[in-house]
Amino acid sequence: MESDLCRYLVGHSVQISRSDGRVHPAYVKSVDTIKSTVMVEWKERTMCQGKEIDVSELCTLNPELLDIIQSVANEAAEAPTPAPEKKYSSRLRSSRIPAPPSSYTPAVTKAEESGRKGRHVPL
């Protein structure tokens, strides 16, 4: 659920309350699900400002966020369990071609051999 909540809220425009009582829009920058806080940013004049807000306070000013959080919680509860790996009921067929021995060196074709004539190959 944590990653889903971050995915839905990050970048979302929200209303925030400043310490002086002003309410204005900001964007969710990150979500800390452990502390239940949200980091928001906004532009003020030419500077970028930021603030950490409790999720409960954010939901008070933005009731539509409750729907998002509830839908994320429902998706997490309804998430299907992964299907177990399929066990083969019969034996798998392997190739009937034997593997080359470990001391095997590939044979040189006549075309490669004729190309080597006249060249000195250093050892």
Side-chain angles (χ1 to χ4, degrees):
M1 178 177 132
E2 295 171 1
S3 63
D4 290 337
L5 185 60
C6 293
R7 185 178 70 212
Y8 285 114
L9 290 182
V10 171
H12 196 82
S13 179
V14 293
Q15 294 291 321
I16 63 164
S17 176
R18 299 285 298 277
S19 55
D20 62 2
R22 290 183 294 154
V23 175
H24 63 83
Y27 291 95
V28 176
K29 188 70 172 170
S30 64
V31 178
D32 187 347
T33 54
I34 295 170
K35 296 191 310 184
S36 295
T37 59
V38 175
M39 183 61 139
V40 295
E41 285 186 351
W42 67 93
K43 287 268 190 181
E44 193 169 310
R45 297 188 186 118
T46 59
M47 295 175 34
C48 186
Q49 301 281 335
K51 180 178 181 179
E52 189 175 49
I53 301 174
D54 287 332
V55 172
S56 59
E57 181 184 344
L58 195 66
C59 289
T60 302
L61 289 171
N62 303 277
E64 71 277 0
L65 290 181
L66 288 173
D67 296 334
I68 293 173
I69 293 170
Q70 287 175 352
S71 68
V72 169
N74 289 342
E75 284 178 15
E78 295 173 0
T81 57
E85 289 186 29
K86 183 178 178 183
K87 301 287 183 185
Y88 291 99
S89 58
S90 63
R91 196 172 138 218
L92 293 176
R93 260 195 269 181
S94 62
S95 174
R96 295 181 190 250
I97 302 171
S102 59
S103 62
Y104 173 75
T105 56
V108 178
T109 64
K110 289 187 179 188
E112 290 174 337
E113 191 175 305
S114 65
R116 288 187 183 178
K117 287 184 182 177
R119 278 202 241 162
H120 174 68
V121 179
L123 297 175

